[in-house]
């Protein structure tokens, strides 16, 4: 899984800022806000990932940061029985593109 994360960072360097494994052995990506749709689409459609289920979306407010809102997307690959976390960030004024066109579950 970690090798796949590095592969994604290699093919999408404009958007992927960091890749790591969580303590629960889940792949975690930190991406630039402009990359939310391309990165999520790649994770959904790539043969070696197939993260076709968006399980949850949440946000964390950290007022001390310049980009105070951290957006967190949890994806699941039924095919590989794997989870992955995608994180991005924004402030009070900058919108982030919706992933509703990629995942119907994002429209709640």
């Amino acid at each position: 899984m970690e090798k796949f994360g590095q592969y994604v960072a290699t093919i999408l360097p404009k958007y992927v800022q960091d890749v790591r494994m969580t303590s629960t052995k889940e792949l975690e990506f930190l991406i630039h806000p402009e990359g939310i749709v391309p990165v999520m689409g790649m994770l959904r459609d790539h043969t070696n990932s197939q993260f076709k289920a968006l399980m949850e979306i949440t946000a964390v407010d950290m007022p001390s940061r310049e980009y105070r809102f951290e957006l967190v997307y949890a994806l699941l690959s039924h095919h590989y029985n794997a989870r992955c976390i995608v994180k991005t960030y924004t402030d009070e004024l900058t919108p982030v593109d919706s992933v509703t066109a990629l995942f119907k579950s994002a429209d709640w």
Side-chain angles (χ1 to χ4, degrees):
M1 211 45 173
E2 195 168 359
K3 285 183 182 180
F4 179 74
Q6 294 305 321
Y7 168 72
V8 173
T10 301
I11 63 172
L12 296 170
K14 180 178 177 182
Y15 303 126
V16 178
Q17 297 175 332
D18 191 23
V19 180
R20 64 185 126 203
M21 295 297 288
T22 67
S23 60
T24 57
K25 305 293 184 210
E26 294 175 352
L27 194 56
E28 182 179 280
F29 295 94
L30 175 62
I31 62 169
H32 189 278
E34 292 176 3
I36 193 68
V37 172
V39 171
M40 297 283 276
M42 186 270 176
L43 291 171
R44 182 194 68 181
D45 297 337
H46 195 283
T47 304
N48 292 334
S49 60
Q50 298 186 34
F51 288 103
K52 299 201 182 282
L54 175 64
M55 303 307 293
E56 62 185 292
I57 304 171
T58 192
V60 180
D61 183 4
M62 300 182 198
S64 61
R65 291 186 182 176
E66 178 183 358
Y67 296 102
R68 66 184 283 177
F69 298 109
E70 182 175 79
L71 308 175
V72 183
Y73 302 81
L75 300 173
L76 174 66
S77 171
H78 292 284
H79 185 79
Y80 290 105
N81 190 28
R83 292 181 176 269
C84 122
I85 306 295
V86 178
K87 293 182 177 182
T88 192
Y89 50 87
T90 192
D91 58 23
E92 300 92 342
L93 303 173
T94 310
V96 175
D97 291 336
S98 173
V99 295
T100 305
L102 298 171
F103 300 99
K104 298 298 179 204
S105 60
D107 186 19
W108 49 275

